[in-house]
Amino acid sequence: MVLICPQCGKAALYLETGGVMGDIYRCKNCTYIGNFVIESDDPDLSNELEEGRRAELGR
Ligand SMILES: [Zn+2]
């Protein structure tokens, strides 16, 4: 599984910290920091994101 940045669509996230706010992720490709990430088994999900296929977010 990979974590996709919701801002730039790249699988460049890493876990910054976990705490009272929940897990915070930071993107190595852009300036995104936050707890909202897109989980995928497909590293190429960025293309699918542009097609609006966000149903796989559900959990
Ligand atoms: Zn990013």
Side-chain angles (χ1 to χ4, degrees):
M1 188 190 73
V2 296
L3 299 176
I4 308 293
C5 174
Q7 183 165 290
C8 67
K10 302 291 186 182
L13 292 171
Y14 64 93
L15 182 62
E16 173 74 8
T17 185
V20 294
M21 297 291 288
D23 293 339
I24 301 297
Y25 294 89
R26 185 185 295 261
C27 180
K28 289 180 283 191
N29 186 63
C30 70
T31 59
Y32 177 78
I33 301 173
N35 62 1
F36 176 75
V37 298
I38 298 165
E39 297 178 355
S40 175
D41 293 324
D42 181 2
D44 296 322
L45 181 66
S46 57
N47 290 332
E48 298 184 11
L49 280 180
E50 295 175 0
E51 298 172 5
R53 291 185 55 188
R54 290 171 173 260
E56 296 175 36
L57 281 176
R59 188 160 63 100

